[in-house]
Amino acid sequence: MKKSIYAFLIFIMCGFTTPLKAVEAEEALPVVILGGGVGALTSSVYLQRAGIQTLVLEGSKPGGAITESPVVQNWPGEVAIDGQTLVDKIRNQAEVNGTTFLSHEAIDVDLSSTPYTITSRDVYDHEQIKKIKAKAVIIALGSTPRFLGVPGESGEKGYWTKGVYSCAVCDGFLYKDKTVAVVGGGDSAVIEAEYLSKIAKKVYLVVRKDHFRSVEIKRKEQLVQKDNVEVLYNTEIDQIMGDGDKVTHLDLSTKKKLPIDGVFLAIGATPNSDLFKGQIALDENGYIQRISDQQTSKEGVFAIGDVVDPVYKQAISAAGDGAKAALQAERYLASIEGEQPASAKPSAQPKIVQIANEEGKAIEVESSDQFYREVKDSSTPLVVDLYSPYCGPCRKLSPIVDEMAEKHKGAIRFIKVNVAEYSAITSEYNVYSVPTILYFKNGELAKQATGLNEAKAALDSIGKD
Ligand code: NDP
């Protein structure tokens, strides 16, 4: 089975777990983990296996930063694995052990008294707010990519998502055989450029010093030797220019105008610790300070991964932090009230992955030929769900598409297309963002809707026309 399909099936299986009853009842939970990356998932596996019920608030980017890595080559036991598949495996392990997941993000935290209170909101529907009480909290919120702050990057007249991006894996497919630039000289920049060099005709790496900061020296050396990669040292971007719709070139500090189709930012990150200012100790750069191992300045509050780590910032070090935080949280709970490990019930059996093309389910397209055959077939209407495995709203839409497929079994065909694999289809239908729904009736494109809400509205109207 293709990795992307595997990842997709795991998402269907895992993405929308029923919340804990205790969340609804606002009882204090033993442990709430803020964030859904590798560190958070590792903590939850350890806690569940110790019999401590754990709620993970996954936030808007389940799986965290590593999901953007097309190939991880330094995870123990894996010679090469894409980041999303690695996360899917860990998340599945957490789920099998009984972890509860919620597609919420913390918007406020009150650590002034115990149990601690977390205010969270649904990442897709911001009006859905919950107040969650927790005896112990693990902060695993990671960090946010930095912006250059130059004209043309974002804002009303900027080209953010119209040629300016921060994730090559998410948006690189739009630049097949085109010219792109990657800004930065760290490991992220190397990874982004490496990925883009397999898709784009030409990749410029814009590095502001006369050397890279990257520690993956071998990887960097291999990258710069590629025929379609060119490094511009001692160069900064003064302005990102475009034609109003899309990026056309960069104005560089060297006074050169560099014609490009897209630019990917990879210039580092800021720790996501704002919620905790004034409540726990942070250092001058905003990283959460630790008193001992993962313990923060507040008892029962632990922090792991990139939000505490300005140096290593590796998925594996976040996982190590996650294990330590779980063991510390376990000891803390035992110390406050002899928390019994009977509260969690790890599932005895791993869940079985459902195959998406069962009767009455949307079928995952496995070749362009298959897509065009389905489009050509005008016997029954056809709904196409264009998605990317790395897009949160796509995952929200996916089960809705499956429900519709079940409802219209035999009357309307439903297929799903991973745009990362079939970029020609996106070009043909002028698709610049996902999720996008295409609706074909009598062999003609009758409807096209982009974005979660528009796609849902389009699905709602289908079958009624
Ligand atoms: P880094 O902070 O390591 O690098 C940021 C890069 O962007 C630097 O080259 C920096 O330049 C440059 N930069 C910063 N601001 C600007 C600006 N305004 N204009 C132009 N350039 C700018 O961030 P990374 O995200 O690359 O990596 C963070 C950490 O994560 C590192 O420890 C890295 O090793 C690790 N990592 C490891 C990976 C792995 O698979 N092993 C993958 C990705 C990250 P300058 O050098 O001049 O400051």
Side-chain angles (χ1 to χ4, degrees):
M1 189 186 305
K2 283 187 180 169
K3 278 181 189 161
S4 58
I5 296 171
Y6 171 75
F8 171 77
L9 294 172
I10 294 284
F11 272 123
I12 291 181
M13 181 182 71
C14 306
F16 305 100
T17 316
T18 316
L20 278 176
K21 284 207 174 73
V23 176
E24 303 296 346
E26 294 188 11
E27 290 165 16
L29 300 170
V31 183
V32 174
I33 302 177
L34 310 183
V38 166
L41 296 172
T42 305
S43 284
S44 76
V45 168
Y46 270 73
L47 286 161
Q48 289 292 142
R49 296 199 61 74
I52 296 170
Q53 186 65 62
T54 310
L55 172 69
V56 173
L57 301 186
E58 288 190 286
S60 54
K61 194 174 187 181
I66 202 165
T67 56
E68 291 175 15
S69 199
V71 55
V72 178
Q73 294 172 320
N74 50 15
W75 186 269
E78 300 284 355
V79 175
I81 185 169
D82 74 87
Q84 186 64 60
T85 303
L86 177 62
V87 163
D88 290 341
K89 288 169 87 170
I90 306 170
R91 193 186 187 284
N92 186 45
Q93 185 185 11
E95 201 185 27
V96 163
N97 279 288
T99 301
T100 302
F101 294 93
L102 204 53
S103 290
H104 270 224
E105 59 196 350
I107 52 171
D108 190 38
V109 174
D110 181 358
L111 304 178
S112 60
S113 59
T114 53
Y116 302 123
T117 306
I118 298 142
T119 308
S120 73
R121 70 177 175 205
D122 187 304
V123 294
Y124 304 108
D125 177 357
H126 286 184
E127 288 180 10
Q128 297 294 322
I129 307 276
K130 281 186 193 298
K131 283 216 184 283
I132 301 165
K133 298 216 178 285
K135 294 174 191 170
V137 176
I138 297 178
I139 304 165
L141 290 172
S143 54
T144 300
R146 284 193 208 114
F147 282 78
L148 293 165
V150 298
E153 184 181 42
S154 58
E156 213 176 301
K157 292 192 177 155
Y159 291 96
W160 180 245
T161 72
K162 292 184 222 161
V164 184
Y165 305 94
S166 65
C167 170
V169 179
C170 314
D171 303 299
F173 65 90
L174 296 168
Y175 293 90
K176 191 166 167 46
D177 299 327
K178 295 190 176 172
T179 300
V180 295
V182 174
V183 199
D187 284 314
S188 302
V190 168
I191 284 173
E192 299 278 285
E194 187 183 271
Y195 181 78
L196 288 165
S197 69
K198 293 175 197 151
I199 298 171
K201 183 174 63 187
K202 172 94 186 178
V203 179
Y204 291 100
L205 255 164
V206 184
V207 180
R208 68 178 172 183
K209 289 193 177 140
D210 63 358
H211 59 271
F212 278 82
R213 180 193 285 246
S214 155
V215 294
E216 291 251 14
I217 307 295
K218 200 171 157 199
R219 205 165 182 174
K220 189 262 294 180
E221 291 302 332
Q222 283 170 348
L223 173 73
V224 300
Q225 280 165 19
K226 288 187 122 181
D227 288 343
N228 66 339
V229 174
E230 185 176 337
V231 185
L232 306 176
Y233 288 108
N234 297 312
T235 305
E236 288 187 58
I237 293 174
D238 287 343
Q239 188 161 357
I240 299 169
M241 304 296 291
D243 60 10
D245 292 327
K246 57 184 187 324
V247 167
T248 54
H249 65 275
L250 301 176
D251 279 352
L252 301 178
S253 56
T254 52
K255 302 300 165 214
K256 192 177 167 192
K257 285 190 188 305
L258 186 69
I260 50 145
D261 301 297
V263 55
F264 290 80
L265 312 174
I267 57 168
T270 308
N272 295 324
S273 60
D274 278 0
L275 283 178
F276 309 97
K277 270 184 189 153
Q279 303 205 64
I280 55 178
L282 310 179
D283 73 10
E284 67 281 7
N285 295 316
Y287 288 93
I288 294 174
Q289 290 191 315
R290 288 169 284 179
I291 304 302
S292 72
D293 296 321
Q294 308 313 130
Q295 169 73 58
T296 69
S297 58
K298 182 73 74 177
E299 267 213 322
V301 180
F302 308 90
I304 65 174
D306 287 11
V307 77
V308 292
D309 173 14
V311 180
Y312 299 104
K313 293 190 166 228
Q314 300 297 300
I316 192 68
S317 50
D321 286 358
K324 286 188 273 176
L327 296 170
Q328 283 186 290
E330 203 184 318
R331 283 201 292 274
Y332 169 74
L333 289 172
S335 76
I336 55 170
E337 54 184 56
E339 188 75 22
Q340 291 306 307
S343 49
K345 294 178 185 63
S347 314
Q349 295 297 324
K351 293 195 174 136
I352 293 161
V353 176
Q354 295 291 314
I355 304 300
N357 60 3
E358 281 175 0
E359 202 186 344
K361 279 207 162 189
I363 292 172
E364 181 75 31
V365 159
E366 298 205 34
S367 70
S368 311
D369 283 353
Q370 186 190 358
F371 171 79
Y372 289 112
R373 264 201 316 275
E374 294 287 355
V375 168
K376 248 178 140 178
D377 175 358
S378 56
S379 58
T380 52
L382 172 73
V383 172
V384 183
D385 173 16
L386 293 161
Y387 76 95
S388 156
Y390 310 102
C391 140
C394 299
R395 295 199 295 276
K396 190 84 177 172
L397 188 68
S398 182
I400 300 173
V401 171
D402 285 335
E403 268 173 38
M404 295 288 290
E406 173 67 36
K407 187 172 156 193
H408 295 288
K409 190 160 48 176
I412 303 177
R413 289 165 296 140
F414 286 77
I415 59 174
K416 296 187 182 186
V417 177
N418 178 352
V419 292
E421 293 194 5
Y422 303 108
S423 56
I425 297 174
T426 58
S427 304
E428 185 169 342
Y429 291 96
N430 294 320
V431 173
Y432 295 108
S433 186
V434 286
T436 287
I437 291 288
L438 305 176
Y439 177 53
F440 294 88
K441 210 176 164 189
N442 304 320
E444 300 286 331
L445 181 62
K447 231 173 239 166
Q448 178 158 348
T450 296
L452 180 61
N453 290 337
E454 284 197 26
K456 272 161 76 178
L459 287 172
D460 264 355
S461 67
I462 285 164
K464 292 178 188 158
D465 49 6

